[in-house]
Amino acid sequence: MLIIVVIVLVFTVLALGIYNLSLYKRIQSFQNQSKRFTSLNILQDFMNITGSNMSVDKKIKSINELIIEKYQIKYSSIVVFDGTDYVIKASNVNESHWETLSRLHEVDIFKDSITTASPKYITVNSDGEKLPYQEKEFDRAKSAIFFPLYIDNVYFGYWIIESGVPHDFDNIDTTIFETVKENIISVLKAVDYQKILESIVRKDLFTGLNSAEYLYGDGKKIIDQYTTSAICMFRISNIEDINKIARELGNKVITQVSKNVQKNIAEKYIFVRYMGPKFVIVFSGVEADSVADFINEIKESTESLKISLKDESQVEEVEIENKKKKRKRKKREEIEVSPSLNFVVATYYKGTGIEEVLKKMEKYLDESSKEESQISNI
């Protein structure tokens, strides 16, 4: 009887062991799935920030704030080399320490990390010690991980996370932060083009209008406040013939056309000089079918302009001798011209590539006959 009880107990223990092992594996699986789910959520947050209408600098700061919140990091700083200086792009460290943080590439312990493109973990053993790069904030950080940042094998800065606790990162899974680092690089790479556009937007000398680059930066933030918008591109189709008369006359036509259009559209709409004799009007939040009559009015009023060089240039008088008689060439400023405009209208949908819509419209106008002057929808 005792033997039977022992056998039953043994099988019971074995069954409980197997059950516990199975339960442990399920818990581990659940935890792994939970981690993957959390990582996916954070990755989605990264993507949402990247695709938002925020400025480049705001995007980088938002990414840093997300890292601090989601991974419960005490301090996080992103430093980028802009070609001449190391600039703190995002940090929750007091600004009084930013000068030190912007010179970490000069610290010997991090130079090897930059050379080998590998992270460097440093810490102290007691509160009385300080990290190698610290100059005056001895009690702020006691542990740090330094991550050099590379885009296409080109070093461009670093990301550093810090803790006020010694050995705080000893048992941390660094693969998580490697993934975060890659996300930071992806964001910086994605916003690099946006940063270029933001920096090269300029005012056109003749018209005072913003250049085409405005549409891809600040302009897009306004446009994307609406689900759909009507985009109108037009070209002064007879500009080449006008330029043959006088380049100055062609410049004046461009100026007068832009002034006439600008005074006839509401300030909430965007009007830019796209390229050469081509202009773009964006009717934010307006259906393409609704702008036809308005565009026709602009076309008629602009094409009714009589433009000449009167009072804006010196008289050029060329005397030609023909059989001992002198003839005076007609003065350029007496010549009057009227612009001829060719319009194309399309619909832009929020979240899609506005550059693709503009390229299609530009191609349409460029392939149209120079004598064509109408309003088309594509």
Side-chain angles (χ1 to χ4, degrees):
M1 186 67 180
L2 183 59
I3 295 174
I4 294 174
V5 172
V6 171
I7 292 173
V8 171
L9 288 173
V10 169
F11 276 106
T12 302
V13 170
L14 288 173
L16 287 172
I18 293 171
Y19 174 76
N20 288 335
L21 181 61
S22 174
L23 184 62
Y24 173 77
K25 288 182 177 179
R26 289 182 182 181
I27 292 173
Q28 287 292 103
S29 175
F30 176 78
Q31 288 177 339
N32 290 336
Q33 288 180 1
S34 179
K35 287 180 180 178
R36 284 196 292 270
F37 183 74
T38 301
S39 296
L40 285 173
N41 282 341
I42 296 174
L43 179 60
Q44 183 62 52
D45 290 336
F46 273 106
M47 294 173 64
N48 290 341
I49 291 172
T50 305
S52 70
N53 289 327
M54 293 185 287
S55 67
V56 170
D57 289 339
K58 180 61 177 175
K59 284 181 180 179
I60 298 174
K61 289 176 182 176
S62 296
I63 288 293
N64 200 52
E65 291 168 0
L66 180 66
I67 292 169
I68 293 166
E69 176 190 353
K70 298 296 184 181
Y71 294 102
Q72 297 181 338
I73 296 172
K74 182 67 174 177
Y75 301 108
S76 175
S77 303
I78 299 172
V79 184
V80 174
F81 181 63
D82 66 0
T84 56
D85 300 301
Y86 282 80
V87 180
I88 305 284
K89 286 298 183 180
S91 179
N92 65 327
V93 177
N94 189 287
E95 288 191 31
S96 62
H97 307 308
W98 282 18
E99 185 178 352
T100 299
L101 289 173
S102 66
R103 298 203 313 270
L104 296 185
H105 59 285
E106 300 174 356
V107 179
D108 290 337
I109 200 168
F110 295 138
K111 287 181 179 179
D112 182 60
S113 175
I114 293 172
T115 303
T116 59
S118 58
K120 181 66 177 179
Y121 172 41
I122 57 175
T123 187
V124 298
N125 294 315
S126 66
D127 289 336
E129 298 178 71
K130 67 183 182 71
L131 296 175
Y133 61 88
Q134 291 180 316
E135 296 178 357
K136 53 186 177 181
E137 80 282 36
F138 304 148
D139 60 339
R140 183 181 63 80
K142 298 298 182 182
S143 304
I145 306 180
F146 178 91
F147 298 91
L149 302 176
Y150 281 79
I151 290 182
D152 300 329
N153 296 320
V154 177
Y155 167 72
F156 70 97
Y158 49 85
W159 169 47
I160 184 170
I161 58 175
E162 300 169 290
S163 168
V165 179
H167 295 279
D168 199 26
F169 299 130
D170 283 6
N171 300 314
I172 202 164
D173 184 0
T174 56
T175 58
I176 294 177
F177 289 112
E178 282 293 326
T179 302
V180 175
K181 184 193 74 173
E182 292 305 316
N183 284 328
I184 292 173
I185 292 171
S186 297
V187 170
L188 291 173
K189 190 174 182 178
V191 301
D192 187 50
Y193 176 60
Q194 181 186 342
K195 184 65 176 178
I196 293 172
L197 289 176
E198 289 178 358
S199 63
I200 63 176
V201 173
R202 53 183 170 74
K203 291 284 186 180
D204 178 61
L205 293 177
F206 289 111
T207 64
L209 300 174
N210 284 318
S211 60
E213 291 79 16
Y214 179 80
L215 295 171
Y216 310 119
D218 290 340
K220 196 169 187 297
K221 297 174 189 176
I222 299 172
I223 300 167
D224 279 352
Q225 292 177 11
Y226 306 90
T227 304
T228 60
S229 296
I231 297 184
C232 167
M233 182 182 289
F234 68 88
R235 184 183 190 279
I236 304 175
S237 54
N238 61 339
I239 193 68
E240 287 84 1
D241 294 332
I242 295 172
N243 282 335
K244 289 177 182 177
I245 299 171
R247 174 67 67 172
E248 295 90 339
L249 184 57
N251 292 339
K252 187 173 181 183
V253 167
I254 288 174
T255 302
Q256 294 301 313
V257 167
S258 66
K259 285 181 178 179
N260 188 71
V261 174
Q262 195 166 20
K263 75 179 183 181
N264 283 289
I265 62 174
E267 290 185 4
K268 64 178 180 179
Y269 300 136
I270 296 172
F271 183 37
V272 302
R273 185 177 182 184
Y274 185 72
M275 187 181 298
K278 290 190 281 285
F279 296 80
V280 170
I281 309 170
V282 182
F283 300 94
S284 305
V286 180
E287 296 290 336
D289 294 340
S290 304
V291 301
D293 291 341
F294 182 64
I295 291 175
N296 193 59
E297 291 176 8
I298 291 178
K299 178 176 168 63
E300 289 181 359
S301 68
T302 305
E303 290 184 338
S304 66
L305 295 174
K306 301 296 182 182
I307 304 170
S308 70
L309 290 174
K310 285 180 181 178
D311 302 323
E312 293 197 18
S313 69
Q314 294 180 346
V315 177
E316 179 185 353
E317 193 175 275
V318 179
E319 293 185 346
I320 302 174
E321 185 160 342
N322 182 17
K323 295 180 180 180
K324 297 182 179 180
K325 291 183 179 181
K326 294 181 179 180
R327 296 188 307 177
K328 289 185 178 180
R329 187 178 176 179
K330 189 176 182 180
K331 298 173 184 178
R332 291 188 306 169
E333 77 271 15
E334 293 178 356
I335 300 174
E336 284 189 338
V337 296
S338 295
S340 179
L341 307 183
N342 194 16
F343 285 79
V344 61
V345 183
T347 299
Y348 166 73
Y349 297 91
K350 177 182 177 179
T352 60
I354 192 171
E355 66 279 359
E356 295 302 323
V357 178
L358 292 170
K359 284 180 183 177
K360 184 177 180 181
M361 300 174 81
E362 182 179 23
K363 182 180 179 183
Y364 178 88
L365 291 177
D366 287 343
E367 293 178 353
S368 299
S369 169
K370 301 304 181 193
E371 287 74 38
E372 189 172 319
S373 175
Q374 62 183 29
I375 300 173
S376 304
N377 285 276
I378 61 172

